[in-house]
Amino acid sequence: MNMNTQPKKQTAYSREIYRRALWTSFTKLDPRWMVRNPVMFVVEVGSVLTTALWIQALLGEGEAPTGFIGAIALWLWFTVLFANFSEAVAEGRGKAQAESLRKARQDTPAKKVGKLQVEKLEGSNVEHEIVSSTSLRKDDLYVVETGDILPADGEIVAGIASVDESAVTGESAPVVREAGGDRSAVTGGTRLLSDWLIVRVSADPGQGFLDRMIGMVEGAKRQKTPNEVALNILLAGFTIVFLVVCVTLLPYSLYSVQATGKGLPITITVLIALLVCLIPTTIGGLLSAIGIAGMDRMIQRNVIAMSGRAVEAAGDVDVLLLDKTGTITLGNRQAVEFLPVGGVSAQELAEAAQLASLADETPEGRSVVVLAKEKFGLRGTPLSSPHIRQNPAEYGGTEGGGMHFVPFTAQTRMSGVDFDGVSIRKGAPDTMLGLLQSSGNPIPPDLKPTVDNIARMGGTPLVVTRNQQALGVIHLKDIVKGGIKERFAQLRKMGIKTVMITGDNPLTAAAIAAEAGVDDFLAQATPEAKLKLIREHQAGGRLVAMTGDGTNDAPALAQADVAVAMNTGTQPAREAANMVDLDSNPTKLIEIVEIGKQLLMTRGALTTFSLANDVSKYFAIIPAAFASTYPQLQALNFMRLATPESAILSAVIFNALIIIALIPLALRGVSYRAVDAAHLLRDNLLLYGVGGLIAPFLGIKLIDMLLVALHWA
């Protein structure tokens, strides 16, 4: 399954999907299925009645010409089939995805491990029994070794290994999974490429991640969203109203013929045609396809929505909570400047910073070495080089002594190196200031202003010392992603508030927020602070979306209206979320909101078009139905349709064809534009409202001319 963050080449229009959709269109004619869609169920009942009237006409007892009744019946069946076809094509995409996922889900042998044996684990040499993967239950333990297929979803309790997740994500590059941290979740059906793992099963058979994915993309477990349910109720209401209107027209017609003494009463066939044309069949036939296609667009971008409600909620989101690192910024801070203090030269600071960073394998540490090389031509001299050991005075030290690396820890918040009596340190400002104060050495007066200035600019300052003497500050900068500010501006136009979440101090957070163009920020964020912020926004009537990957994100993800978990994240995070991003790209949240907006825009546009259609059909059918009794109604026939039969048949044919014509738009969605609700409503009314009024006049007239030319009317 080739999935990526960009929309894939559409396969929904393949011959196989069309073939399946055509067959499914007929199987969906089952009344037990059709009754779920009140509008199309009424059309199906009308099709059955007109078919019965056609058979009656064949027997010589027809209320109207046999050909006319037969043509109406045929096109009413087409209307139902086209509506079923639109839904079946949308479902076909999901079923194709489900087939790919089923290949990944297989019944494999599992090496079940006793619960007490994990404590005695020595490498992968742990006793196990071979069982079927289907026999594994939640909280069971199993071991996997190089080349094994992981039999079930779970959380790693021991080991570190490389895993091939291409069966799920489509990404061929292996990923590292290990016990503890935010990358401890594994998915059944993936393959272990190296080493070994002990895994605790997190889901019973049939409830795993792949199983849920298959159920959602296949549409078997799709539930109608609240907006979809509300729209169905509205459409059902319209249908009932027009049904009552059409039923009352028959006695009215009989009375009119009797009172005027001319004309013929309206026939059951014409009444059924009138009813079908007046009820909102267009949106009724496409509504389900629009919802399914919305979920499919998520799948195309490697996002699995666990419910249609989540996709729809994404379109109504008011607030986006976005992590700074990896979402707004590139993720790796880079050294951009050496700022000496206390009369120290910039080169002297750069030399000390480079030495302190030679053993630092973090991106930040490597960037310090690169900056020293670019600005001062300094090379990464090994600390054991004869030059350093023979000339320690150049570095403030004495001969003898040896080397000692000081790694960075979360407790000390500093790193460095000791050699030949020289002690070089670099670390967080508060830690380094404490070190200077404890040593009794004076603090240069320009040190704190330099640190504060870097923080105000959105950077991260690192103070460098040598033998407890401050040399200066390294300016680390978070690089804001290109184009992210413009995207936030677009979201603002749509009334969406963006909030940056970061563990940085408020000064740094404020500077980054200003550079990125977000509306607000939460600095020094804790799980409790995130949860509190979400609840505050929700209490104000706003819908909140966020991403997360760690166990500490699970409470906030569970609280958010749209919660996107990273596939690389922990099992609790994935279970708390209602969407999973297979690419583990935090920026994807913006795309998810755009897809949700597009879903709502598509549904609104086609609903507007469908209701506008009905207005135009009055002018085709009403004059044709009553002109024989009330000739004055011919004034409404400004399209100059050939005959009453031709007018009615043309309206019915157009009503059917417009559904099939709009299927590509329903599946693709209307073009997404970052505009506010007022502009969107105006544009919808102009394009789909006015367009919906005009299109039937043109379409019905052309069909009428064609029927006359073919002598079918």
Side-chain angles (χ1 to χ4, degrees), residues 59-348:
L59 298 175
E61 299 179 4
E63 61 172 10
T66 305
F68 174 72
I69 300 175
I72 294 293
L74 180 65
W75 281 101
L76 290 184
W77 282 115
F78 278 151
T79 303
V80 179
L81 289 171
F82 290 163
N84 289 348
F85 184 77
S86 70
E87 185 176 13
V89 171
E91 290 175 346
R93 299 180 178 189
K95 289 178 179 179
Q97 296 282 357
E99 290 297 325
S100 297
L101 292 172
R102 279 198 182 91
K103 294 177 182 178
R105 186 190 65 179
Q106 46 187 299
D107 185 11
T108 59
K111 301 173 182 177
K112 187 176 180 181
V113 177
K115 290 182 170 59
L116 298 177
Q117 293 175 306
V118 179
E119 301 174 359
K120 306 175 182 179
L121 179 65
E122 295 182 2
S124 61
N125 299 320
V126 59
E127 294 184 7
H128 59 264
E129 61 174 317
I130 305 298
V131 300
S132 171
S133 59
T134 57
S135 67
L136 293 175
R137 295 294 182 269
K138 188 175 181 180
D139 294 329
D140 285 346
L141 296 168
Y142 66 82
V143 60
V144 282
E145 300 170 285
T146 303
D148 289 348
I149 300 290
L150 276 74
D153 293 1
E155 195 85 15
I156 301 171
V157 298
I160 178 172
S162 179
V163 182
D164 176 12
E165 296 185 344
S166 58
V168 177
T169 66
E171 178 57 56
S172 59
V175 294
V176 176
R177 294 287 180 264
E178 61 183 319
D182 295 340
R183 296 179 180 268
S184 60
V186 290
T187 304
T190 57
R191 182 183 297 273
L192 201 72
L193 297 180
S194 69
D195 302 291
W196 58 269
L197 296 172
I198 299 284
V199 181
R200 178 179 287 109
V201 179
S202 59
D204 291 328
Q207 300 177 7
F209 186 58
L210 277 181
D211 296 293
R212 288 189 293 164
M213 286 172 64
I214 291 169
M216 292 308 305
V217 302
E218 199 171 30
K221 298 181 180 179
R222 191 184 95 87
Q223 295 182 342
K224 291 182 179 179
T225 63
N227 284 351
E228 201 172 347
V229 171
L231 186 54
N232 261 316
I233 294 172
L234 177 65
L235 299 181
F238 275 122
T239 301
I240 293 171
V241 169
F242 286 119
L243 182 61
V244 172
V245 169
C246 290
V247 168
T248 58
L249 282 177
L250 181 58
Y252 174 78
S253 176
L254 292 171
Y255 171 79
S256 298
V257 170
Q258 185 178 5
T260 60
K262 59 182 179 181
L264 295 172
I266 193 169
T267 63
I268 302 295
T269 303
V270 171
L271 280 176
I272 293 172
L274 176 63
L275 174 64
V276 170
C277 288
L278 295 186
I279 63 176
T281 51
T282 306
I283 186 62
L286 297 172
L287 185 59
S288 183
I290 294 169
I292 296 171
M295 295 191 65
D296 180 68
R297 284 193 288 276
M298 288 289 185
I299 296 167
Q300 291 175 29
R301 288 161 176 81
N302 257 9
V303 177
I304 301 299
M306 298 306 174
S307 70
R309 182 189 295 264
V311 180
E312 188 173 271
D316 288 326
V317 160
D318 300 296
V319 180
L320 287 185
L321 302 187
L322 302 163
D323 279 329
K324 182 200 73 173
T325 306
T327 305
I328 294 173
T329 64
L330 293 176
N332 296 328
R333 293 170 298 179
Q334 303 291 310
V336 294
E337 194 175 7
F338 296 115
L339 300 170
V341 297
V344 176
S345 69
Q347 182 161 350
E348 188 178 357

Side-chain angles (χ1 to χ4, degrees), residues 482-496:
I484 198 75
K485 188 171 185 177
E486 289 73 19
R487 297 193 74 174
F488 289 154
Q490 291 179 345
L491 292 172
R492 194 174 298 111
K493 288 181 181 177
M494 301 178 69
I496 298 174

Side-chain angles (χ1 to χ4, degrees), residues 305-650:
M306 298 306 174
S307 70
R309 182 189 295 264
V311 180
E312 188 173 271
D316 288 326
V317 160
D318 300 296
V319 180
L320 287 185
L321 302 187
L322 302 163
D323 279 329
K324 182 200 73 173
T325 306
T327 305
I328 294 173
T329 64
L330 293 176
N332 296 328
R333 293 170 298 179
Q334 303 291 310
V336 294
E337 194 175 7
F338 296 115
L339 300 170
V341 297
V344 176
S345 69
Q347 182 161 350
E348 188 178 357
L349 170 61
E351 289 175 348
Q354 183 203 47
L355 291 172
S357 303
L358 289 177
D360 188 350
E361 293 300 321
T362 64
E364 292 86 352
R366 290 194 294 269
S367 74
V368 172
V369 176
V370 171
L371 183 64
K373 176 184 175 181
E374 291 177 347
K375 283 206 168 187
F376 301 100
L378 300 177
R379 300 284 177 179
T381 306
L383 296 179
S384 58
S385 72
H387 177 74
I388 292 179
R389 296 187 64 82
Q390 294 171 13
N391 303 280
E394 293 182 20
Y395 302 93
T398 59
E399 295 187 12
M403 296 177 298
H404 175 65
F405 297 106
V406 181
F408 175 86
T409 66
Q411 289 74 30
T412 64
R413 300 178 69 202
M414 65 177 173
S415 62
V417 64
D418 297 329
F419 68 99
D420 296 331
V422 180
S423 177
I424 298 176
R425 297 288 184 271
K426 75 174 196 297
D430 54 347
T431 301
M432 302 307 292
L433 287 170
L435 178 67
L436 293 173
Q437 290 172 346
S438 64
S439 68
N441 292 327
I443 299 174
D446 53 345
L447 178 60
K448 194 173 186 305
T450 302
V451 168
D452 291 342
N453 187 51
I454 293 173
R456 279 193 296 270
M457 292 189 295
T460 300
L462 293 179
V463 176
V464 180
T465 66
R466 185 179 62 204
N467 294 340
Q468 288 78 49
Q469 296 282 347
L471 299 180
V473 185
I474 304 171
H475 181 181
L476 297 180
K477 185 178 180 182
D478 279 311
I479 308 301
V480 175
K481 289 183 176 179
I484 198 75
K485 188 171 185 177
E486 289 73 19
R487 297 193 74 174
F488 289 154
Q490 291 179 345
L491 292 172
R492 194 174 298 111
K493 288 181 181 177
M494 301 178 69
I496 298 174
K497 181 180 181 181
T498 52
V499 182
M500 183 183 75
I501 307 295
T502 177
D504 290 336
N505 63 71
L507 280 176
T508 302
I512 295 285
E515 185 179 355
V518 297
D519 299 308
D520 199 0
F521 65 89
L522 177 66
Q524 298 173 333
T526 62
E528 294 78 13
K530 292 180 186 178
L531 188 60
K532 182 183 178 184
L533 182 64
I534 293 172
R535 287 173 174 171
E536 286 176 355
H537 284 297
Q538 290 175 333
R542 293 174 173 264
L543 268 65
V544 181
M546 71 164 291
T547 61
D549 58 2
T551 301
N552 62 346
D553 292 323
L557 288 171
Q559 183 67 36
D561 301 285
V562 178
V564 185
M566 303 296 101
N567 188 49
T568 57
T570 63
Q571 196 66 30
R574 296 201 298 183
E575 290 178 355
N578 48 28
M579 292 188 185
V580 176
D581 178 20
L582 302 179
D583 296 325
S584 300
N585 177 11
T587 313
K588 194 76 70 67
L589 181 60
I590 299 175
E591 293 184 46
I592 290 170
V593 171
E594 291 175 352
I595 293 170
K597 292 286 184 185
Q598 188 186 33
L599 170 64
L600 297 182
M601 290 164 62
T602 302
R603 188 183 295 156
L606 293 184
T607 301
T608 303
F609 185 89
S610 178
L611 296 178
N613 260 236
D614 296 337
V615 177
S616 305
K617 296 168 192 171
Y618 281 102
F619 295 93
I621 296 183
I622 296 296
F626 293 96
S628 63
T629 306
Y630 299 101
Q632 300 89 338
L633 291 176
Q634 279 294 339
L636 296 177
N637 184 21
F638 59 85
M639 287 185 285
R640 297 294 181 260
L641 302 177
T643 64
E645 291 79 10
S646 171
I648 295 169
L649 184 57
S650 297

